[in-house]
Amino acid sequence: MKTTQAVQTTSTNGSAPQSLIEIESLLQEHYALYKGNQDGAVANYIPELAKVEPDEFGMAVATQAGEIVTAGDAKAPFTIQSISKAYTFAMLLDEAGREETYAAVGVQPSGDPFNAITLDARTNRPFNPMVNAGAIAVAGRLRQVLGAGAFDRVLDLFSRAAGRALDVDERVFESEKETGHRNRAIGHLLRAAEVFDVPVDDVLDVYFRQCSIRVTATDLAVMGATLANLGINPITKQDVFGMDAVRDTLSVMFTCGMYDGAGDWATRVGLPAKSGVGGGIIAVVNRQIGIGVFSPRLDEAGNSVRGKLCCIGLADGLGLHAFDATNPGSSFLRGMAKWD
Ligand code: GLN
């Protein structure tokens, strides 16, 4: 991993900082600004998560060119939790194709909390893959398609997206398995609706394990940059996801990634993103960068409080919002149409 300082980023905002050094100083600035913020509370419905160190706070940005800049506890490990949902969704798209994937799960924002025990009444399928019901549907299809080795394949894929061998926090896994009654209820609902046809316990084993994969803010930044880079890890150059899977995943992250806070997020930050109750947030700037933030105290929707503030600060500071007024749009299309 390089930390070269001369690479120019391609910010869309004319007045925005243009170099990695400037991104790094923006990270440092937001780290200092929010370090003392103790708003929110750590997730405690999974007993092991209640034990995490609430003050840890780290940020990282990885670029499409494979550069990484960080601030704070960017190497502190935590469990990926719901951020895993974006990556298993991409995985199912690659493994089973769109038709089979969308037979199991929709792409509509639900407006409900992430753990709602509900299906879309029109389709009898979960609203989208970013809430628990949708992610358990995806885990069920992966378990059905890939058999008993499904989780090993998930772990291998996540590791390739992060560019290093990841592992599972067994304590968090056991804790969630022990107490995850709502998720078990969702699993049975989905089996009754014939979303998958394998034992619910086998499916939840995949789901609880995928949520318990240990990452750092730096890992999240690289995993985000892998999506930004059309599915190719920008550091290892490994081909991790197909382009169609990346396109669909980023779309659903944009509309549904922040649960019932998704509309506010799309308007305020304007980036595809995904949060997890472990305190992580990942955000992606298409074709440019991945952002990873970690801070365990959450707001009522289950999103990291300081993580959100940092993403807002970076989006504003670097002009990252997809519909920022300073965004010049696609120069490619302009060239094609010979617009001036
Ligand atoms: N493993 C957690 C659960 O199923 C994931 C939730 C989350 O991160 N929002 O409740």
Side-chain angles (χ1 to χ4, degrees):
M1 282 180 205
K2 297 175 283 175
T3 49
T4 311
Q5 308 197 324
V7 169
Q8 296 293 305
T9 60
T10 48
S11 167
T12 53
N13 183 334
S15 63
Q18 293 294 313
S19 72
L20 279 183
I21 302 171
E22 285 166 300
I23 294 179
E24 188 164 22
S25 70
L26 203 60
L27 290 183
Q28 296 294 352
E29 189 188 307
H30 285 88
Y31 178 77
L33 195 60
Y34 298 124
K35 192 169 166 38
N37 183 322
Q38 299 193 336
D39 293 348
V42 301
N44 59 9
Y45 73 98
I46 301 171
E48 268 309 303
L49 283 189
K51 298 183 190 164
V52 302
E53 167 49 62
D55 289 325
E56 282 186 329
F57 182 27
M59 282 180 266
V61 167
T63 72
Q64 199 197 15
E67 314 288 344
I68 295 176
V69 289
T70 66
D73 305 318
K75 291 267 176 271
F78 57 94
T79 52
I80 190 168
Q81 297 297 337
S82 282
I83 299 166
S84 65
K85 294 168 177 170
Y87 290 86
T88 51
F89 176 57
M91 183 177 179
L92 184 62
L93 284 162
D94 275 339
E95 292 292 339
R98 279 188 170 128
E99 201 176 327
E100 183 170 338
T101 301
Y102 295 130
V105 65
V107 291
Q108 293 297 331
S110 69
D112 290 325
F114 67 81
N115 60 0
I117 304 181
T118 174
L119 299 179
D120 185 337
R122 295 167 311 147
T123 59
N124 212 28
R125 294 288 175 264
F127 281 93
N128 68 71
M130 303 292 142
V131 292
N132 289 13
I136 294 168
V138 168
R141 297 304 303 187
L142 284 172
R143 181 64 179 73
Q144 194 164 323
V145 172
L146 301 174
F151 178 71
D152 290 344
R153 295 277 299 275
V154 169
L155 185 61
D156 178 62
L157 191 80
F158 283 30
S159 298
R160 284 192 284 131
R164 74 178 184 98
L166 302 176
D167 65 2
V168 170
D169 185 327
E170 293 291 340
R171 285 196 185 155
V172 172
F173 166 66
E174 290 297 339
S175 181
E176 193 164 354
K177 188 173 165 183
E178 189 83 17
T179 57
H181 306 301
R182 284 189 77 89
N183 288 326
R184 208 158 274 122
I186 291 170
H188 285 286
L189 181 67
L190 294 172
R191 181 137 196 219
E194 297 177 353
V195 172
F196 52 75
D197 188 24
V198 282
V200 170
D201 283 344
D202 292 352
V203 173
L204 289 175
D205 193 76
V206 173
Y207 175 72
F208 292 144
R209 280 188 188 278
Q210 77 181 58
C211 289
S212 304
I213 291 174
R214 230 183 319 232
V215 290
T216 66
T218 303
D219 292 328
L220 290 186
V222 177
M223 291 176 80
T226 297
L227 292 180
N229 194 34
L230 303 176
I232 296 170
N233 182 313
I235 292 163
T236 65
K237 312 290 184 217
Q238 272 196 329
D239 203 345
V240 187
F241 299 108
M243 279 198 273
D244 288 347
V246 169
R247 195 182 83 153
D248 288 17
T249 302
L250 291 175
S251 305
V252 181
M253 287 167 71
F254 194 81
T255 51
C256 310
M258 304 299 278
Y259 319 120
D260 38 343
D264 293 335
W265 178 274
T267 308
R268 183 67 189 86
V269 182
L271 292 177
K274 186 76 203 81
S275 61
V277 291
I281 298 182
I282 197 164
V284 177
V285 183
N286 196 28
R287 310 295 297 270
Q288 297 188 59
I289 60 173
I291 300 169
V293 189
F294 166 54
S295 171
R297 291 193 188 89
L298 312 176
D299 65 14
E300 319 75 60
N303 299 321
S304 167
V305 172
R306 290 189 297 193
K308 257 174 84 170
L309 290 169
C310 289
C311 288
I312 290 170
L314 286 180
D316 286 351
L318 296 167
L320 303 179
H321 191 299
F323 308 115
D324 196 290
T326 55
N327 189 325
S330 167
S331 51
F332 174 70
L333 270 188
R334 249 173 221 243
M336 296 268 293
K338 304 214 179 326
W339 298 335
D340 56 7

